[in-house]
Amino acid sequence: MRRPDGFDRRTDEPVEAAADAAGGSSLEALRRRRDAALRAIAAHEAAATPRRSAEREPEPEREPRRWALSAYADLDDGADPTPATDGPEPAPLPDEERGSLAQRVDRAWREALREQRRLDREEARETRREAKEAKRARVRRERAEVRRFTAARRRQVRAALLTGGGLALALLLLVGLVWSPLMAVREVRVQGVERLDAAVVQEALGDAMGEPIATVTEEGVAQRLSTIPQIESFRVDVVPPSTVIVHVVERRPVAIVPTASGEAVIDAAGVALGPVDESTAMLPRLDGVELGSAEFEAIAAMLVAVPTSVLEATATISAPTESDIRLSLTSGQTVLWGGADESRLKADVVAALLATQDPAVAVVLDVRAPEHSVVRGS
């Protein structure tokens, strides 16, 4: 920065000497310097002030600060700054008033610039604070708009989360309840048995007692009941919290066959159901028929269609061929059955013919053609 003329003079020299050394234009130069300083301050203030936000209301234009006017006030009054030589000696001046006029002006100018910078910094801080407040307000407004437009989606997500959480909780409770001792098997009921003892079935399922009721399956029950040949099929019902009901369908015994260990009862499939007892002693015996042969398959198809009353009245069944089945009744009568076709109709015809015949008379009932049955003497 260029100092005013006469700045370098000694402080103990009189003002008049400085003025003479600088020439008659020192006051005029100081006035120009003052004007230049004022213009520089105004330009600096205009450049340092940030542009205000569009949302804020425009403030009225302020006059530029004129901090240096007081420093240059004595330049316009035309007074001589040189102290008078007559009279008592003046009191010593403070440090800020010592020195030449140029030095005092320079100090005042520097003070004005420092004050201006301080005010600029405060205004900048205030502007930044207002900008931050405006940014926070804008962010709040944007978030409010986002929440308003996504409220329905948030409700859907919340409902989905609540539903999923409820289902998961219910599943956990169900799993915990199923595997708890409260849901263990403590009772096995057997239904549908006639010739088979229910205790045998319950004993076969005894190892299922105490297991979780959810683990009881038909495959597991079938594996346990496979040792009981009298059971043809079954159905399992699970009744929470601790009951298992087994509905049994027994195999129907239809004939007696000789075995290595004695006579045994079989069903139409040729499955041995056990030894002969009081309930099966009236069944017919197969004479000369091998299990699994074609003759046995024909006899089995016939036995399925024949009612129990006819079977109990039959003593033996023979079949030289699969189309020549013969029944020997306990009354001494003989029935020529023929093949296994139309067994149901043949059974009805035999029952009707037996109702019309004298049991004491040995006759032959030929029902090989059931619609044209023949009764003849032996």
Side-chain angles (χ1 to χ4, degrees):
M1 181 181 63
R2 184 178 180 277
R3 303 296 180 91
D5 295 336
F7 179 80
D8 297 331
R9 71 178 179 83
R10 295 177 58 183
T11 58
D12 55 351
E13 294 181 0
V15 177
E16 290 83 359
D20 292 341
S25 61
S26 60
L27 292 178
E28 188 66 27
L30 289 176
R31 290 189 181 95
R32 288 195 300 272
R33 186 63 175 251
R34 177 197 63 184
D35 295 339
L38 291 177
R39 288 194 298 271
I41 291 172
H44 177 73
E45 182 181 29
T49 304
R51 183 174 298 174
R52 298 186 179 276
S53 174
E55 297 179 358
R56 296 176 54 191
E57 296 183 358
E59 297 182 357
E61 186 177 357
R62 294 178 296 182
E63 293 293 332
R65 299 184 180 91
R66 300 182 180 277
W67 302 101
L69 289 179
S70 60
Y72 294 96
D74 56 348
L75 298 180
D76 293 332
D77 55 3
D80 188 2
T82 305
T85 57
D86 298 336
E89 184 178 356
L93 296 175
D95 293 340
E96 62 272 9
E97 296 183 6
R98 292 179 181 178
S100 65
L101 178 61
Q103 290 174 341
R104 293 197 303 272
V105 169
D106 189 66
R107 283 196 299 269
W109 184 36
R110 290 178 182 276
E111 289 293 334
L113 288 179
R114 282 195 295 271
E115 183 66 18
Q116 182 65 33
R117 293 192 189 98
R118 185 184 64 80
L119 293 176
D120 290 342
R121 287 193 297 270
E122 292 181 357
E123 187 172 0
R125 285 194 295 269
E126 182 66 20
T127 302
R128 287 193 296 270
R129 187 186 64 79
E130 293 176 356
K132 290 180 180 179
E133 290 292 337
K135 182 179 179 180
R136 284 194 289 268
R138 187 186 73 251
V139 171
R140 287 194 295 269
R141 289 194 298 270
E142 290 176 354
R143 290 178 178 174
E145 289 296 319
V146 171
R147 287 194 297 270
R148 185 170 66 88
F149 282 104
T150 59
R153 179 60 179 172
R154 289 200 309 274
R155 287 194 296 269
Q156 293 176 356
V157 172
R158 189 182 302 112
L161 290 177
L162 291 176
T163 303
L167 292 177
L169 181 60
L171 181 60
L172 291 176
L173 291 176
L174 180 60
V175 171
L177 185 61
V178 166
W179 289 92
S180 67
L182 297 176
M183 298 290 289
V185 178
R186 291 192 294 271
E187 181 183 6
V188 177
R189 299 178 186 175
V190 180
Q191 296 180 357
V193 292
E194 296 179 0
R195 293 173 296 274
L196 183 63
D197 189 1
V200 176
V201 180
Q202 292 176 345
E203 183 180 358
L205 297 176
D207 57 348
M209 302 295 290
E211 293 184 359
I213 197 170
T215 61
V216 177
T217 61
E218 291 191 356
E219 291 78 7
V221 174
Q223 185 177 3
R224 294 182 176 96
L225 298 182
S226 60
T227 57
I228 305 177
Q230 291 84 358
I231 297 178
E232 180 177 3
S233 62
F234 65 90
R235 178 170 53 88
V236 178
D237 289 338
V238 177
V239 180
S242 59
T243 303
V244 176
I245 302 176
V246 181
H247 301 270
V248 174
V249 177
E250 295 181 347
R251 293 182 181 274
R252 179 192 174 195
V254 293
I256 300 173
V257 295
T259 62
S261 58
E263 292 184 331
V265 180
I266 63 171
D267 67 344
V271 177
L273 305 181
V276 179
D277 54 13
E278 295 180 359
S279 62
T280 58
M282 300 299 294
L283 293 177
R285 288 166 172 78
L286 299 183
D287 183 13
V289 179
E290 184 179 357
L291 295 179
S293 61
E295 291 79 8
F296 175 79
E297 296 295 334
I299 293 174
M302 181 269 297
L303 292 176
V304 171
V306 172
T308 305
S309 60
V310 175
L311 292 180
E312 293 178 352
T314 302
T316 60
I317 300 176
S318 61
T321 62
E322 57 181 328
S323 60
D324 187 13
I325 302 174
R326 299 181 180 183
L327 281 65
S328 298
L329 305 182
T330 57
S331 61
Q333 298 171 343
T334 303
V335 177
L336 301 179
W337 194 273
D341 55 323
E342 299 181 308
S343 293
R344 179 69 63 181
L345 177 59
K346 292 178 181 180
D348 295 338
V349 172
V350 169
L353 292 177
L354 290 177
T356 61
Q357 299 298 319
D358 184 4
V361 179
V363 295
V364 176
L365 306 177
D366 188 354
V367 294
R368 288 175 291 185
E371 296 180 356
H372 307 280
S373 57
V374 177
V375 179
R376 60 178 182 269
S378 59

